[in-house]
Amino acid sequence: MNQQIICSGCGIPVQTKDSDNPGYAPKAALERDVIVCQRCYRLTHYNEVPDVPLTDKDFDKLLDDVSKSDALVVMIVDLFDVEGSWMMKRKDLNHLPLVIVGNKFDLLPHSVNENKIKLWLKKEAMKRGYKPEKIDLMSANKKADVMRIAAMIDQVRNGKDVYIIGSANVGKSTFINQIIRAFDGDEDQLITTSIYPGTTLAFIDLPLDDGSKMYDTPGIINPNQMYRSIPQKEMKLLQPKREIKPIVFQLKEEQTLFIGSLARFDFVSGEANHFVCYFPEKFTPHRTKLSQADDLYARHKGETILSPPSKEALEEVPPLKAETFTIAHDKTDIVIPGLGWVTVGHKGAVVTVHAPENIKVTLREAII
């Protein structure tokens, strides 16, 4: 190979010598009009679980290139997992203009107020030190939404290059593929997408009309996300497929809600209260008495009423750690990043939350 060839699916240089290393493709693949590495080919056609060679340090090095540029940064945030979506904060990116786009708006119940979500997202961003010039919402699966966001980005960028950044699975590559379909129409040029983190391995550039470029960037799993705690083959369970339907429980103190075998909410004390559950469709909450919860979990974890994930997958899940919260405000969300949240109706409730030990459980003002 005299000239470096880049995989159009994940952005990594293609090589034909070592099938165990990223970028490998058999020599015959180099005869195709659009060249992808073997990893992307198998991921696309066979839905194989990929390796994830990209580390946080690797991504930090990639961000060095962004910091040296004069570009617009577009951060995509998963509205179903906002807490798990925030990127690492780097002071050397503060000089670059920033747009924040909340994706997967279609997963939230139709009753939510769009303007309220935008204001809430802006407040959460500023709380973390971000200063966005614009905030908007979309569903990357809807062409009309993507075209509206693309037009907004084109107006804000003022001729600059654009870097699309975000944590794993927030929808960056899906968003860019919609743009490719709309303006290019060549399905062979689409970027590889999947439910698995680590699909994009390097910057992938999309030429813009004025000579600038839009870059898709690799997504790194936030250390606080549930993706860190569950085997890759079970990750699809964490991805809602349709609008989340809230499930309401009226609880008395000393009752427990299990969310599969990945989380548990103990209503330790307080007046009768309502708990509204927002989780992917595979996770149906199960109610029991607090006095029976430990025994129930020991006997049935990974099975029927306390699944998913499977009992086999649970062997790779870190042990659950308990943390107790006193709810200080009416309508408070208890959030487990990457899994979902429970809204507690009234203040005064004391709730102990059990989640994998690496997960940072948080409280927030209810967004619904």
Side-chain angles (χ1 to χ4, degrees):
M1 295 172 61
N2 299 323
Q3 178 181 344
Q4 188 179 68
I5 298 173
I6 301 298
C7 172
S8 66
C10 68
I12 200 167
V14 173
Q15 51 91 11
T16 60
K17 295 181 179 180
D18 189 350
S19 61
D20 292 328
N21 278 328
Y24 173 77
K27 289 183 179 180
L30 305 186
E31 304 300 321
R32 301 189 186 114
D33 292 335
V34 178
I35 300 172
V36 296
C37 67
Q38 182 172 269
R39 175 181 178 274
C40 283
Y41 184 86
R42 289 179 173 175
L43 184 58
T44 301
H45 294 279
Y46 304 113
N47 199 32
E48 288 189 0
V49 178
D51 53 342
V52 189
L54 201 69
T55 66
D56 293 8
K57 290 183 179 179
D58 293 328
F59 184 69
D60 210 33
K61 291 178 182 177
L62 290 174
L63 281 186
D64 286 339
D65 292 335
V66 181
S67 68
K68 297 170 186 174
S69 70
D70 180 24
L72 171 67
V73 175
V74 177
M75 184 189 300
I76 297 185
V77 174
D78 182 345
L79 289 174
F80 188 70
D81 183 21
V82 174
E83 280 69 21
S85 293
W86 296 112
M87 301 293 294
M88 62 190 84
K89 191 74 179 73
R90 289 179 41 135
K91 294 181 179 179
D92 56 349
L93 295 180
N94 285 346
H95 67 287
L96 299 178
L98 172 68
V99 166
I100 294 178
V101 178
N103 187 29
K104 306 182 186 179
F105 184 61
D106 55 318
L107 294 182
L108 301 183
H110 287 314
S111 59
V112 302
N113 182 287
E114 183 174 346
N115 287 329
K116 181 183 177 183
I117 296 295
K118 286 181 182 179
L119 290 172
W120 175 83
L121 192 58
K122 182 176 182 179
K123 184 169 69 173
E124 290 295 305
M126 296 185 72
K127 186 193 303 182
R128 292 166 171 80
Y130 297 106
K131 298 178 181 179
E133 295 192 6
K134 189 90 173 177
I135 286 186
D136 213 329
L137 311 178
M138 71 170 179
S139 168
N141 292 316
K142 296 183 178 180
K143 181 179 177 181
D145 279 12
V146 171
M147 293 301 95
R148 174 175 52 80
I149 297 298
M152 179 268 287
I153 291 173
D154 194 48
Q155 184 179 34
V156 175
R157 75 183 180 89
N158 196 27
K160 299 177 185 289
D161 287 344
V162 180
Y163 285 88
I164 310 294
I165 70 172
S167 296
N169 292 327
V170 298
K172 303 182 308 298
S173 297
T174 300
F175 170 69
I176 289 181
N177 279 345
Q178 283 281 30
I179 294 176
I180 293 173
R181 288 189 180 98
F183 293 104
D184 189 295
D186 187 351
E187 292 284 323
D188 290 335
Q189 298 290 344
L190 298 182
I191 296 166
T192 302
T193 60
S194 79
I195 61 170
Y196 306 115
T199 302
T200 302
L201 298 179
F203 291 147
I204 300 175
D205 62 273
L206 177 68
L208 301 176
D209 289 342
D210 58 3
S212 302
K213 293 182 178 181
M214 177 180 288
Y215 294 90
D216 185 24
T217 64
I220 293 296
I221 299 179
N222 186 308
N224 296 324
Q225 277 181 297
M226 187 62 73
Y227 290 116
R228 288 282 196 194
S229 300
I230 191 169
Q232 285 195 335
K233 61 185 178 181
E234 301 275 329
M235 285 182 178
K236 60 185 178 182
L237 301 171
L238 301 176
Q239 294 285 316
K241 298 290 190 299
R242 52 184 177 269
E243 176 191 344
I244 296 297
K245 301 294 184 183
I247 300 176
V248 183
F249 290 89
Q250 298 292 337
L251 297 185
K252 297 178 181 179
E253 62 181 7
E254 298 190 2
Q255 288 188 306
T256 290
L257 291 177
F258 278 101
I259 312 301
S261 288
L262 290 180
R264 166 180 156 186
F265 295 81
D266 297 337
F267 182 16
V268 178
S269 64
E271 296 181 0
N273 212 325
H274 62 269
F275 289 64
V276 188
C277 300
Y278 298 89
F279 295 97
E281 55 268 20
K282 294 290 185 180
F283 290 86
T284 301
H286 176 76
R287 174 167 49 184
T288 189
K289 293 180 180 178
L290 176 57
S291 60
Q292 299 173 356
D294 288 340
D295 180 62
L296 182 71
Y297 187 75
R299 287 188 295 112
H300 293 293
K301 60 183 179 180
E303 300 175 347
T304 56
I305 57 175
L306 298 187
S307 68
S310 65
K311 181 174 288 189
E312 178 187 15
L314 276 174
E315 294 177 1
E316 300 181 42
V317 176
L320 303 188
K321 180 185 70 174
E323 186 174 2
T324 299
F325 301 89
T326 299
I327 305 303
H329 305 282
D330 290 344
K331 298 180 181 178
T332 295
D333 289 342
I334 305 177
V335 183
I336 299 181
L339 181 61
W341 67 92
V342 170
T343 302
V344 181
H346 303 296
K347 63 183 179 181
V350 176
V351 182
T352 298
V353 183
H354 304 250
E357 58 187 6
N358 63 297
I359 298 295
K360 183 176 175 59
V361 180
T362 60
L363 303 183
R364 71 185 184 197
E365 174 189 352
I367 64 170
I368 298 176

